[in-house]
Amino acid sequence: MFGIAVVGLSLVLAAVTISAVGAGDGDAATRQRFYVSGCGMPTSPVDMWTRGGNYKTAIALDGLRATNDMSGWRHNTRIQNMADHGVNVIEPVGGLGSFYTNWDKASKLSKVKYRYRWTCRLDTIVRELDARGLAVGKWGKYALMGISMGGNAAMIYAVNHRKRISHAFSMSGYLNLSAPSMREGIRAALVDAGVQAGVGPLDADSMWGPPWSKRWLDNDPFLQTQRMKGMKLRIGASTGLWGVHDREPVSAVKGTPLELLALAQTRAFEVSALRAGVDVSSDYPTQGTHDWGYWNDMVWRAKNSGWFRDR
């Protein structure tokens, strides 16, 4: 089953220009969109739902098949409604197969002719949020969360940016890249994501270098837990058993092995964190596949448990 899951598991600033669409303050949350350029990449939008007086701002990262029109979170969930209940929600748009990281070089076999520099792009977004006064709460930092590819990215970006990120939440993330066959699995996943999106195969060697490159270790959350002490961490993954959100059989069949792999990866990370003396809260539902409905539920359970609050 592990092998099937791996095969199916198909990531100096430039000048920055930012513009906004929509505005408003009041008792109800408002939605805004602003645009960020620079980092050697095309301009990309960021959607946000905010309300004055909220106690935290959470940035939500997309999955492997992120699109350029809006985040999968907006397409498929209702986490935006948290803005009416204390938590501002920020959704960067784009990032297909990027792992939200700075790639070593452009992917030579794809139609994406620029080098992904998503760490740089996230840095820019955080600065813009700071300028808008959205680093709310007594710690003055952000929560960062993501699903699948974005779960890995949330943990790595957070541990490397502790001055700006206090909370990190991975849902069905791939958190143990040093496990057998994982690097080969990510290679296959990037090829598949690029082909399905119509941009051609994305090349994992262009991301973090060949499998023996140190950058693969630097971007493996399992190996970074010692550096996470003092952070507020949360992880979640389901059992792969079908549940209330599995209404489309083909997607559910694909989602089962992916979620089983994510569960094994998440459990391994949890063990590594506990051995390192790092506190981590967890959410392991008894039913669920690799599907947005379950990730929506995980976010709301985190919200209702008080996890987003600065302790």
Side-chain angles (χ1 to χ4, degrees):
M1 180 62 75
F2 183 86
I4 294 173
V6 167
V7 172
L9 170 65
S10 317
L11 312 69
V12 179
L13 277 174
V16 174
T17 304
I18 300 173
S19 59
V21 176
D25 292 314
D27 293 334
T30 60
R31 182 180 70 83
Q32 297 175 288
R33 168 169 281 200
F34 63 89
Y35 293 84
V36 185
S37 64
C39 302
M41 300 198 304
T43 298
S44 63
V46 180
D47 290 325
M48 63 182 191
W49 292 258
T50 62
R51 188 182 68 166
N54 282 352
Y55 59 80
K56 196 67 177 179
T57 297
I59 304 169
L61 301 180
D62 213 332
L64 192 75
R65 302 176 194 281
T67 59
N68 291 326
D69 57 341
M70 65 178 72
S71 169
W73 289 105
R74 185 177 170 193
H75 270 300
N76 300 294
T77 78
R78 55 181 180 83
I79 68 166
Q80 302 81 12
N81 295 343
M82 290 198 301
D84 283 316
H85 303 280
V87 179
N88 301 318
V89 176
I90 313 298
E91 297 177 2
V93 178
L96 170 74
S98 69
F99 273 76
Y100 294 102
T101 189
N102 287 343
W103 285 39
D104 285 349
K105 57 187 177 183
S107 184
K108 59 186 177 182
L109 298 177
S110 79
K111 297 177 184 177
V112 181
K113 297 306 180 185
Y114 56 90
R115 173 189 167 203
Y116 275 152
R117 295 187 66 208
W118 272 96
T119 302
C120 176
R121 179 57 50 91
L122 291 178
D123 290 344
T124 306
I125 291 169
V126 168
R127 285 198 299 273
E128 171 62 10
L129 298 178
D130 284 344
R132 291 169 178 262
L134 290 173
V136 296
K138 64 182 180 181
W139 291 349
K141 300 180 182 181
Y142 301 96
L144 184 63
M145 59 187 179
I147 60 101
S148 195
M149 169 189 87
N152 170 286
M155 291 296 187
I156 293 299
Y157 186 89
V159 76
N160 289 330
H161 296 80
R162 295 186 58 157
K163 291 183 178 180
R164 302 309 309 125
I165 309 295
S166 58
H167 297 47
F169 184 7
S170 167
M171 288 157 276
S172 305
Y174 297 103
L175 306 181
N176 183 14
L177 303 187
S178 299
S181 300
M182 275 304 297
R183 296 177 191 184
E184 293 81 358
I186 288 175
R187 179 183 303 277
L190 293 184
V191 169
D192 184 64
V195 170
Q196 285 206 5
V199 302
L202 297 170
D203 177 20
D205 285 355
S206 298
M207 182 169 65
W208 294 324
W212 52 87
S213 168
K214 182 178 179 293
R215 290 205 69 203
W216 284 89
L217 306 180
D218 294 340
N219 287 280
D220 187 346
F222 180 86
L223 299 177
Q224 304 301 322
T225 51
Q226 286 281 356
R227 301 173 56 218
M228 295 180 181
K229 291 180 179 178
M231 298 180 65
K232 198 167 184 181
L233 303 178
R234 189 172 177 91
I235 52 177
S238 299
T239 60
L241 296 175
W242 293 14
V244 295
H245 300 298
D246 292 296
R247 302 183 181 94
E248 209 285 300
V250 173
S251 295
V253 167
K254 292 179 179 179
T256 291
L258 290 172
E259 195 62 15
L260 285 171
L261 176 58
L263 178 61
Q265 292 268 302
T266 301
R267 291 285 195 184
F269 173 85
E270 183 176 32
V271 171
S272 178
L274 294 175
R275 286 177 175 171
V278 176
D279 292 332
V280 56
S281 65
S282 61
D283 185 355
Y284 294 117
T286 58
Q287 290 182 317
T289 59
H290 212 67
D291 184 88
W292 284 101
Y294 301 107
W295 299 322
N296 175 80
D297 293 347
M298 285 183 184
V299 172
W300 279 100
R301 282 194 293 270
K303 163 70 175 59
N304 293 335
S305 74
W307 181 80
F308 287 101
R309 292 187 178 275
D310 293 344
R311 59 172 180 258

